[in-house]
Amino acid sequence: MHLLKRARQTVQLSIGAVLGYFVLCVFFWGPGDIDIGSMMSAVVPGKIETNSKAAEETDARPPLEFKVTPSLGAVHSAPANSTFVVRVTLSTFESVVDDATTAEVWTDLGHGDTDRRWHSVEMHACSDASTTVVVRSDSDNDHARSRPRCFEARIKLPQIQTAFEYTARLVQLGSTEPFDVDADNIEKATVKVSSPSKVIQWLNKGDDAKNADVVVVDSNDSLPKSLKDLFNFHTSITFPAIDIPADSQILFAGSINAAKLTSNFLQLKVPNTTTLVLERRKQHWLQPAHGKNGWPHTAISMKKEVSFALWSIQSDASSDITTPPLFAVLIPTPPHVLAVTTNGYFGITPTHSAYLWPHEFKSNPVRAFVAVSRDPVAAVQFILKHMKANIPKSSVASLSKVVRHSLEDSANQTQSDESKNVVSNKVVPNNPVAAPASNPQSSVRFYDRLGWCTWNSLYQNVSEKDIVLGLNSFKDHKMPIDWLLIDDGWQNTDADKFTSFGLNAKKFPSGYSLIKKLKKDYKLSLIGVWHSLVGYWGGIHPESEISEKYPLRQLTRKPGYSEWYQHTLVVDPAAYPTYYSDLHKQLTDAGVDFFKIDDQSVFEASDNINSPSEVMSIYQDTLVRESKTRPVIWCMAHNMEVLYGTLLMRFGESVPSGQAPQRTMRTSDDFFPDVPDSHTWHVQSNALNTLLIGNLDPWTLVDWDMFQSDHAYAQFHAISRALSNGPVYLSDVIGNHSLSVVAPLLSADNRLIHVTGVPNTAPMPLPKSLLVNLTNGDGLLFVQAYAAGSHGVVLGVFNCAKIGTGKVSDSVILGRDVVRHGVDGWGSGKLAVAFYANLAGGAEEVDLLDDVPGAEILVSLGEREADVVTVVPLWKSAMSGVLVGCLGLQGKYYGVAGVRGIEFEDVKEGGIRVRLDAAFAGVYSFVTVQKGEKVGKVVNVECSEGLKKYVL
């Protein structure tokens, strides 16, 4: 009681001193019904010995366990004008708690500071009061945990700052004993009792248990200060908050501003918690890195530039298993990055090439954006939306025009000084515009069917002969290859420099005629080719057909930055659109349908080309125009110019109805078939990088790279590619193929089973997987794929631990971990849970879960193992009580992608009618549960493509 009085006396003067670190956690909440208490506090567990005679006679029944959330005996804080939720959970090792035992919450919060009469609060059953657990197991055993009883009081808080207390007690209904309200630490009150009850125990009694104190605060003014205190911002930085829509999942967002950059870091101190960053790996790629108690050692010792940072801002885990943690996401604006110092601080500092960026970028006072949410994806999307609005459009839209004119003027000047770096006197075309390709875009989309890339098969030794051998090998093994990507090795080069257009005559004696011949002989829908952004790895040969036709400039990369060529000749940017158009016109005239453009970070570290970022803009403008008529794969392109200039700024618009997106972005370094430790890391990198890259443009497909079907990690990769909703293509060594790995990717007519024509379908890692050291086996990687029209949830699960770790176990709690696109049930209260591994093995039954936030799925995976978990709601027949749901295509990795929409209805004559809009023809697996059954029976039905009706 004395603590409460002191809090009341000081609440107007020093709320921050009372709240401490907890202020930060709760201030992110705005008005509304919010479970503040369960977010912030640790559980205080306890035990109550039952009075049952049977329990006295035997040890069969253990004591009744309880927990109060938020805990008693502690000080909590909550924002004004919200709803404070107190939960009392009772459990035993038996299946259920006695229905006669219930809980009550009491509080002294009245209608004003003078009205402090204690009273009970209306109690409700918690939404997760009946939770079962499904376990991925090879056995048929039914694994389920005890079902606790949970009671919930929702206390509406006033709009003013104040303080109050609460406590809880357990009662047994139906008793004729007097109702006792005189507890040691509660004031006497007049209570109306609807039925005779017996007080089993006041839960504020015990060695350390006391009433809980709650301080109600105004969050609007204090949040920015609290966030500043956490970051330890430099005093010169302003931190304006950003308006957030009322229905947003964002709890707080702001921009980090500074008047100008100085020689010092704008220092921010990271919380002492696990962090995830995306840092630059060499020149071309982002890669994830984790820090256990601060920043990753690679970001400190190796001085990696960080483009993205995420961490949890809670001081401890929530006591409510259904409450997701809070995450802070920080993304610097171009041309800035995060750089970490050895003392644990990180600075928002210019990237190594920032001084070459346009003035509009450098003069922008916004250095970074930060957002806080229980859904990290929502935080990323919110930041990118505001970042796009903040970046001066003139810095992107007018770059090409401005730079082109300046380059034309420079190119036409007399080049008497050898340091000018113009090594060709060819005239730069006036106002060059890339001509449209003559080969119209095929109606077939390359990401709709399975492809073959020659890289890991043939590398730079690719030839006409070997391509034919490879295609024959696929045909002999009944592998339905529909398109071909001819990777590095087809061009005319000398000393790794591009010399002339056309296929290399020694390797491809048939020349361009080979393209159409391959399409005809092997029924290929599409053929694409690879090339570097600047022609080839070493650029353009100085004595070549290309140098004779197009003006060149010398590109000198900074010492120690380039891993290949420090001095490279490239086509003058002002002439690049014409060069690119001429090259692609030859190829498309021959029948080439799409392009993979590599080495797209080449200009970033240049030393001698004026404004390389602006030069890069001209090159990117050319690729963007190409992508409007045919597919383009951006590769080795994790630089700011591409990520923000192209994906965020140039793209992001809606694709017109009836058209498919033509742009694809590689999201990780290469698939390395002969590096054993690289495979789990490859999938992990793709998943975590997609958190940023997959949200830059809703219509850009993510490309998780090729893989080999006859490989120790073949299914591991196949599952990840299936759920990526991007292109899927093999790089099999000729003669080494596995149809059993490929078949679950494809429909009956050999189309890839995935979802297209819908924005934002890239898979996202679950929040629970973001701050876990997956390499050490501390957890499994859970990736949530787009669930199409199934109303369910699809999770890819991967054991990404290093070799030798062995089996790894982890779990997903649906209400806590699936924070976006959760199960959209039909009110039956039941879910069906299916594992691909079990269904593929011919399982005829699936497990059931209660449709509650606390429903939990446990998964154990051995080395190299991956699986797909499909959770779908069950519809209940009003006539028969039968439950039914649809798991999608039978025996497929991504079976629910075949369900564009589904409805159920009773049939008067008996049975259940299904209205299924199937994206693919094939056998669909349905789940039926008869009344009283504890498992679901799998029923397979042959279905046609399109909207049809079926009776089960």
Side-chain angles (χ1 to χ4, degrees):
M1 296 299 292
H2 299 293
L3 177 59
L4 175 61
K5 292 176 182 177
R6 289 197 300 271
R8 288 173 184 162
Q9 293 169 357
T10 60
V11 68
Q12 298 293 335
L13 299 176
S14 57
I15 293 173
V18 178
L19 299 180
Y21 185 83
F22 288 112
V23 172
L24 172 67
C25 297
V26 300
F27 277 167
F28 295 108
W29 290 102
D33 291 343
I34 302 167
D35 187 350
I36 296 295
S38 64
M39 174 186 77
M40 296 170 46
S41 306
V43 177
V44 175
K47 294 183 179 181
I48 298 175
E49 298 296 333
T50 176
N51 292 324
S52 169
K53 183 176 180 179
E56 295 175 357
E57 295 174 353
T58 70
D59 294 327
R61 294 185 62 185
L64 181 69
E65 295 188 353
F66 69 86
K67 59 181 179 181
V68 181
T69 311
S71 59
L72 300 177
V75 180
H76 312 291
S77 58
N81 198 30
S82 66
T83 298
F84 189 83
V85 179
V86 181
R87 292 184 176 182
V88 182
T89 304
L90 312 178
S91 62
T92 69
F93 290 104
E94 295 184 338
S95 59
V96 294
V97 178
D98 185 0
D99 288 340
T101 304
T102 186
E104 293 178 345
V105 170
W106 285 63
T107 180
D108 69 341
L109 179 64
H111 301 287
D113 201 47
T114 60
D115 183 5
R116 290 294 174 177
R117 291 174 297 175
W118 281 87
H119 60 92
S120 61
V121 182
E122 183 179 1
M123 304 298 292
H124 304 274
C126 300
S127 58
D128 57 345
S130 298
T131 300
T132 58
V133 179
V134 166
V135 180
R136 179 190 186 269
S137 174
D138 295 331
S139 69
D140 294 330
N141 295 331
D142 183 17
H143 300 274
R145 289 186 177 174
S146 62
R147 298 185 177 187
R149 296 192 68 198
C150 178
F151 306 92
E152 182 177 275
R154 303 178 66 83
I155 305 173
K156 183 64 178 177
L157 302 185
Q159 299 183 15
I160 60 173
Q161 297 184 7
T162 186
F164 67 94
E165 289 183 82
Y166 69 84
T167 187
R169 69 180 188 176
L170 303 184
V171 299
Q172 190 169 16
L173 301 178
S175 172
T176 59
E177 297 183 22
F179 187 63
D180 180 13
V181 297
D182 291 323
D184 292 343
N185 293 324
I186 190 169
E187 298 175 11
K188 203 163 188 178
T190 301
V191 183
K192 294 182 179 180
V193 183
S194 58
S195 61
S197 302
K198 176 185 177 181
V199 178
I200 299 177
Q201 182 175 334
W202 285 96
L203 302 186
N204 60 359
K205 289 185 176 181
D207 294 337
D208 299 316
K210 299 178 181 179
N211 295 343
D213 296 284
V214 181
V215 181
V216 180
V217 297
D218 180 5
S219 64
N220 295 330
D221 296 331
S222 304
L223 176 57
K225 180 181 183 304
S226 300
L227 205 54
K228 276 187 176 182
D229 292 341
L230 176 68
F231 285 151
N232 192 24
F233 282 156
H234 193 281
T235 56
S236 65
I237 302 178
T238 59
F239 194 77
I242 298 173
D243 291 337
I244 301 172
D247 60 347
S248 175
Q249 294 177 287
I250 306 302
L251 307 180
F252 176 80
S255 59
I256 302 174
N257 295 2
K260 61 180 180 180
L261 285 175
T262 67
S263 58
N264 298 321
F265 280 142
L266 301 178
Q267 290 189 341
L268 298 90
K269 187 174 179 63
V270 67
N272 187 26
T273 184
T274 305
T275 59
L276 165 67
V277 304
L278 300 182
E279 59 187 21
R280 286 291 291 275
R281 181 183 185 273
K282 298 182 181 178
Q283 182 177 338
H284 316 286
W285 305 107
L286 291 176
Q287 70 172 6
H290 289 91
K292 186 175 182 180
N293 292 306
W295 295 111
H297 69 88
T298 53
I300 300 174
S301 61
M302 302 178 68
K303 298 181 179 180
K304 298 288 188 182
E305 289 190 344
V306 174
S307 298
F308 173 97
L310 175 146
W311 63 93
S312 174
I313 63 172
Q314 287 182 261
S315 61
D316 55 20
S318 170
S319 58
D320 178 4
I321 63 170
T322 67
T323 301
L326 287 171
F327 294 91
V329 175
L330 179 65
I331 304 178
T333 59
H336 302 96
V337 292
L338 306 178
V340 184
T341 62
T342 55
N343 61 3
Y345 285 82
F346 68 93
I348 302 175
T349 184
T351 184
H352 61 274
S353 60
Y355 70 97
L356 298 168
W357 278 61
H359 174 73
E360 292 92 337
F361 281 93
K362 292 184 291 183
S363 61
N364 186 357
V366 178
R367 296 294 184 251
F369 288 93
V370 64
V372 176
S373 176
R374 297 192 185 280
D375 179 3
V377 176
V380 172
Q381 292 176 346
F382 188 89
I383 288 175
L384 294 177
K385 175 183 177 181
H386 284 271
M387 185 182 293
K388 182 172 183 177
N390 177 264
I391 294 176
K393 292 182 171 53
S394 60
S395 63
V396 175
S398 65
L399 273 180
S400 302
K401 179 179 178 181
V402 173
V403 177
R404 184 178 296 122
H405 289 167
S406 65
L407 290 172
E408 289 173 5
D409 293 341
S410 175
N412 291 324
Q413 292 175 356
T414 303
Q415 304 295 320
S416 57
D417 187 347
E418 291 183 358
S419 66
K420 296 295 183 180
N421 297 313
V422 178
V423 296
S424 171
N425 292 323
K426 302 298 171 293
V427 176
V428 178
N430 289 324
N431 195 25
V433 176
S438 56
N439 179 31
Q441 170 63 30
S442 169
S443 60
V444 177
R445 301 176 297 194
F446 82 108
Y447 48 80
D448 277 344
R449 294 180 182 270
L450 188 66
W452 174 43
C453 176
T454 60
W455 180 243
N456 295 127
S457 309
L458 305 169
Y459 294 100
Q460 292 176 320
N461 296 319
V462 61
S463 67
E464 176 178 335
K465 176 183 177 182
D466 287 331
I467 288 177
V468 170
L469 286 175
L471 291 173
N472 281 331
S473 180
F474 280 115
K475 185 177 180 180
D476 292 343
H477 286 79
K478 303 186 185 307
M479 302 281 282
I481 297 299
D482 188 77
W483 55 269
L484 167 69
L485 173 57
I486 304 175
D487 213 294
D488 185 5
W490 63 269
Q491 293 168 277
N492 294 300
T493 62
D494 183 7
D496 278 349
K497 297 176 176 62
F498 196 18
T499 58
S500 63
F501 295 172
L503 300 179
N504 185 298
K506 292 183 180 180
K507 296 182 178 180
F508 298 88
S510 298
Y512 278 142
S513 64
L514 174 67
I515 302 298
K516 293 180 179 178
K517 185 177 190 317
L518 291 177
K519 287 185 176 181
K520 179 181 178 182
D521 292 350
Y522 297 96
K523 296 180 174 56
L524 299 177
S525 298
L526 303 169
I527 292 180
V529 298
W530 169 101
H531 68 75
S532 166
L533 183 69
V534 294
Y536 202 63
W537 300 114
I540 306 299
H541 199 284
E543 298 177 1
S544 63
E545 293 181 13
I546 297 175
S547 65
E548 289 296 316
K549 187 174 182 180
Y550 306 97
L552 306 180
R553 284 181 176 260
Q554 181 169 287
L555 168 66
T556 301
R557 307 187 201 188
K558 293 181 179 181
Y561 195 82
S562 171
E563 58 186 282
W564 288 312
Y565 307 97
Q566 188 174 358
H567 302 287
T568 305
L569 293 177
V570 300
V571 174
D572 188 290
Y576 188 77
T578 300
Y579 153 84
Y580 189 95
S581 178
D582 292 345
L583 170 62
H584 281 211
K585 187 175 186 305
Q586 277 199 19
L587 292 166
T588 55
D589 283 349
V592 172
D593 301 283
F594 68 95
F595 300 92
K596 173 184 174 183
I597 313 299
D598 227 332
D599 196 19
Q600 293 199 42
S601 298
V602 62
F603 291 110
E604 191 181 40
S606 63
D607 242 351
N608 66 323
I609 285 188
N610 293 331
S611 300
S613 183
E614 298 175 357
V615 172
M616 182 69 165
S617 182
I618 293 179
Y619 276 63
Q620 287 298 311
D621 284 342
T622 307
L623 269 63
V624 169
R625 281 195 294 271
E626 180 77 30
S627 72
K628 293 180 179 179
T629 59
R630 62 191 66 253
V632 173
I633 301 175
W634 270 258
C635 192
M636 298 176 69
H638 292 181
N639 56 73
M640 283 193 168
E641 293 88 343
V642 173
L643 294 181
Y644 298 109
T646 296
L647 267 66
L648 184 64
M649 297 301 296
R650 290 179 176 88
F651 293 147
E653 76 279 4
S654 297
V655 173
S657 178
Q659 296 187 22
Q662 303 292 324
R663 48 195 186 256
T664 304
M665 168 64 79
R666 270 276 302 277
T667 48
S668 80
D669 202 347
D670 290 3
F671 165 79
F672 297 108
D674 300 324
V675 182
D677 284 331
S678 71
H679 298 286
T680 57
W681 177 247
H682 185 269
V683 171
Q684 180 180 347
S685 295
N686 272 299
L688 298 183
N689 283 345
T690 297
L691 182 61
L692 173 64
I693 297 173
N695 286 302
L696 288 165
D697 168 37
W699 289 103
T700 294
L701 300 174
V702 294
D703 177 4
W704 286 20
D705 203 15
M706 63 197 85
F707 72 99
Q708 293 179 339
S709 68
D710 186 29
H711 190 278
Y713 281 89
Q715 188 178 77
F716 192 89
H717 285 287
I719 289 175
S720 73
R721 305 312 192 271
L723 302 182
S724 75
N725 271 318
V728 180
Y729 49 117
L730 306 177
S731 57
D732 288 3
V733 174
I734 296 174
N736 297 333
H737 316 289
S738 174
L739 183 60
S740 63
V741 169
V742 169
L745 289 163
L746 306 172
S747 65
D749 58 356
N750 291 328
R751 285 182 290 163
L752 282 175
I753 300 171
H754 61 177
V755 181
T756 60
V758 180
N760 293 316
T761 58
M764 292 293 153
L766 287 189
K768 76 179 310 292
S769 297
L770 296 177
L771 297 177
V772 177
N773 192 327
L774 302 173
T775 303
N776 287 346
D778 294 344
L780 297 171
L781 172 64
F782 289 88
V783 177
Q784 184 177 2
Y786 183 73
S790 68
H791 300 272
V793 169
V794 185
L795 301 175
V797 193
F798 305 86
N799 181 350
C800 292
K802 60 191 174 202
I803 295 175
T805 304
K807 181 177 290 187
V808 176
S809 300
D810 203 348
S811 70
V812 166
I813 296 175
L814 295 181
R816 181 193 67 192
D817 300 322
V818 182
V819 294
R820 55 190 296 104
H821 308 309
V823 177
D824 181 14
W826 280 292
S828 72
K830 292 292 182 180
L831 307 173
V833 181
F835 298 91
Y836 166 76
N838 292 342
L839 291 179
E844 297 179 351
E845 296 180 346
V846 297
D847 292 307
L848 303 181
L849 270 180
D850 291 328
D851 188 3
V852 294
E856 186 174 12
I857 302 170
L858 303 181
V859 182
S860 294
L861 296 174
E863 289 187 357
R864 297 196 301 268
E865 282 193 337
D867 207 342
V868 180
V869 183
T870 300
V871 184
V872 296
L874 297 177
W875 178 86
K876 185 175 183 179
S877 167
M879 295 177 60
S880 63
V882 173
L883 301 175
V884 62
C886 182
L887 297 171
L889 283 160
Q890 179 194 29
K892 306 298 181 181
Y893 300 132
Y894 193 8
V896 297
V899 182
R900 284 194 295 237
I902 190 167
E903 294 178 351
F904 300 98
E905 60 183 1
D906 280 315
V907 179
K908 292 181 180 180
E909 295 78 13
I912 298 173
R913 179 181 291 115
V914 182
R915 289 170 52 87
L916 173 66
D917 185 5
F920 309 93
V923 177
Y924 282 72
S925 293
F926 292 85
V927 178
T928 62
V929 184
Q930 302 296 323
K931 291 184 66 174
E933 293 292 331
K934 301 297 184 181
V935 296
K937 303 293 185 181
V938 178
V939 178
N940 295 315
V941 179
E942 185 79 35
C943 300
S944 304
E945 183 175 346
L947 181 60
K948 307 289 183 181
K949 297 180 181 180
Y950 308 90
V951 176
L952 298 179

